[in-house]
Amino acid sequence: MRMLRPALALCAALAGAGAYAQLAAVAHPAIAFQPRYYIAYRASTPPRIDGQLDEADWQKAEWTEDFVDIEGPSRPTPRFRTRAKLLWDDEYLYFAVEMEEPDLWATLTERDSVIYHDNDIELFIDPEGSTHRYMELEINQHGTAWDLLLTKPYRDGDKVAYTGWDMHGLKIGRQLRGSLNHPGDQDQGWTVEVAIPWRALRESHDAVLHPLAGEQWRLNFSRVEWRTSSADGRYRKLTDAATGQPLAEDNWVWSPQGVVNMHYPEMWGVVQFSGQNVGGQRDAWRPDPAQAAKWALREVYYAQRSYFAKHQRFAASLSQLGLKLAPVAGYVWPPRIEATSQQFSARLQGRDGQATLQIDHDGLLH
């Protein structure tokens, strides 16, 4: 399967298992770091969560760019169009995704099933931008949800995913443009509309009441699409003749990852929350002045993981890593690296003496 999704059993197996002795090299994204961005405006009135998107606020909200392959421009354009839009207010984050789909089908109806075994749409959200303590939500065409809280990406150690965690107060509406589970007819697509209460995020982020105007969060959407055929009145996934296993699913995303793995939060897009009502005064996009410094530290992290996989210890300098990075304006250069055999930290100090950024052996950026 093209989507790298470690089984939940792996999470349990890693728990207490000599965490850093197990670390492998981390694949470097194969595209430039250029996350897409979106400005989310406030809803003037709460929308009905029914999948219709007929309220004036939804009509005024802009669509994202069309989704692309998870690996980026080197891969073919997705076969079916996907696009999303967002709104927010003091109580909820609202999002809607519109998907072309000629064959509507779904099998899973129990909450917290492994939803990506069906065609689905997924949301990933990291309020802090640290790549740790982020949320994942998957929804299929039945409207069945799987919500997870992840302490860190699977690549970064033990006890990662909590599938028993729920987004309390989650609202899901869907519109099917065609007939579900009726092979032989021609369907048009489906739309999902979702309201996530900000209070649901407080279980992992105590300070989250709702975003402040101008605040930016890391976020991405992913669509899983299986190739199917129909026989005997039901849909079946196409299989590989040699292995008998289903063909790899397509993975179409809003902001490309450059690697077949959604659990690279550093590659997600950026949503800026406007204090203006949708359709009113427009905000300007404000680039993050620390973005280049954050990415430089992430490059150190990738190199350290490769070095550790080869030497079973971390490196104490950029030269030892063989890493050549251009200096980042506004920061004391080079990064200060402190390392032991099992841990490292890399730190950039702002030249103003105030701003400090650091990344650690487990990928935490703070």
Side-chain angles (χ1 to χ4, degrees):
M1 294 169 62
R2 293 207 307 126
M3 178 69 82
L4 302 182
R5 295 175 181 273
L8 297 179
L10 176 60
C11 303
L14 285 175
Y20 301 115
Q22 306 294 322
L23 291 182
V26 172
H28 191 291
I31 59 174
F33 177 66
Q34 294 177 331
R36 286 178 163 179
Y37 65 85
Y38 183 92
I39 299 177
Y41 290 90
R42 291 183 63 94
S44 59
T45 57
R48 296 181 305 276
I49 306 301
D50 56 11
Q52 299 296 324
L53 310 188
D54 50 3
E55 295 91 346
D57 282 351
W58 276 130
Q59 295 298 310
K60 296 173 186 175
E62 294 185 356
W63 291 106
T64 64
E65 303 95 333
D66 288 356
F67 287 22
V68 297
D69 188 272
I70 190 171
E71 293 186 80
S74 66
R75 301 290 300 176
T77 300
R79 291 173 287 127
F80 311 128
R81 188 184 197 187
T82 311
R83 56 182 183 169
K85 55 176 63 179
L86 298 102
L87 294 168
W88 71 290
D89 59 24
D90 288 348
E91 299 298 325
Y92 292 94
L93 170 67
Y94 305 102
F95 74 86
V97 186
E98 179 186 81
M99 292 158 278
E100 292 181 347
E101 176 56 70
D103 292 296
L104 294 169
W105 65 272
T107 65
L108 301 168
T109 58
E110 183 177 349
R111 176 75 174 260
D112 289 339
S113 300
V114 183
I115 297 299
Y116 64 81
H117 287 168
D118 287 348
N119 290 343
D120 78 357
I121 187 66
E122 305 174 1
L123 172 75
F124 297 80
I125 184 168
D126 177 5
E128 294 178 342
S130 69
T131 75
H132 283 213
R133 296 197 301 167
Y134 61 90
M135 281 68 67
E136 177 180 355
L137 173 64
E138 304 186 3
I139 301 169
N140 69 1
Q141 291 164 22
H142 274 307
T144 308
W146 184 20
D147 41 7
L148 304 87
L149 173 65
L150 295 101
T151 59
K152 62 181 76 172
Y154 294 103
R155 68 195 180 195
D156 286 318
D158 59 342
K159 199 64 176 176
V160 170
Y162 291 86
T163 61
W165 174 81
D166 286 333
M167 294 180 176
H168 297 295
L170 177 70
K171 299 178 183 180
I172 298 173
R174 81 201 200 289
Q175 179 195 35
L176 304 180
R177 298 185 296 282
S179 55
L180 185 65
N181 293 330
H182 286 277
D185 62 359
Q186 184 72 24
D187 302 314
Q188 287 74 52
W190 59 302
T191 299
V192 167
E193 181 181 12
V194 177
I196 300 175
W198 298 120
R199 67 176 182 272
L201 307 186
R202 294 175 197 161
E203 296 180 21
S204 61
H205 295 80
D206 294 339
V208 173
L209 297 174
H210 56 70
L212 301 175
E215 195 169 341
Q216 296 180 347
W217 289 16
R218 301 306 299 272
L219 182 150
N220 212 352
F221 293 98
S222 173
R223 176 181 176 181
V224 169
E225 184 77 11
W226 297 90
R227 295 178 183 266
T228 62
S229 63
S230 60
D232 304 323
R234 59 177 294 190
Y235 288 105
R236 290 182 172 86
K237 295 175 183 175
L238 296 182
T239 56
D240 184 293
T243 66
Q245 296 300 309
L247 295 177
E249 78 277 26
D250 289 310
N251 301 276
W252 304 327
V253 303
W254 168 46
S255 194
Q257 297 283 110
V259 61
V260 188
N261 190 335
M262 284 305 297
H263 296 277
Y264 271 57
E266 64 269 25
M267 296 299 291
W268 295 350
V270 184
V271 171
Q272 178 175 301
F273 293 93
S274 171
Q276 307 295 329
N277 283 354
V278 66
Q281 181 178 338
R282 296 176 62 85
D283 279 359
W285 172 252
R286 294 193 290 274
D288 179 3
Q291 180 170 284
K294 292 176 182 178
W295 188 247
L297 291 177
R298 184 62 57 183
E299 293 277 18
V300 173
Y301 161 81
Y302 294 141
Q304 285 281 25
R305 287 293 297 271
S306 294
Y307 189 91
F308 186 92
K310 183 176 181 179
H311 300 284
Q312 293 301 293
R313 67 181 188 276
F314 289 112
S317 67
L318 292 184
S319 60
Q320 194 173 2
L321 288 170
L323 190 61
K324 297 180 180 179
L325 297 174
V328 178
Y331 290 85
V332 177
W333 198 260
R336 179 181 177 184
I337 297 176
E338 297 180 352
T340 69
S341 60
Q342 297 292 300
Q343 298 180 0
F344 87 88
S345 68
R347 183 179 306 163
L348 276 174
Q349 177 70 52
R351 292 194 180 277
D352 60 5
Q354 301 298 318
T356 300
L357 293 171
Q358 179 172 311
I359 200 165
D360 299 325
H361 48 271
D362 59 357
L364 176 64
L365 180 66
H366 55 103

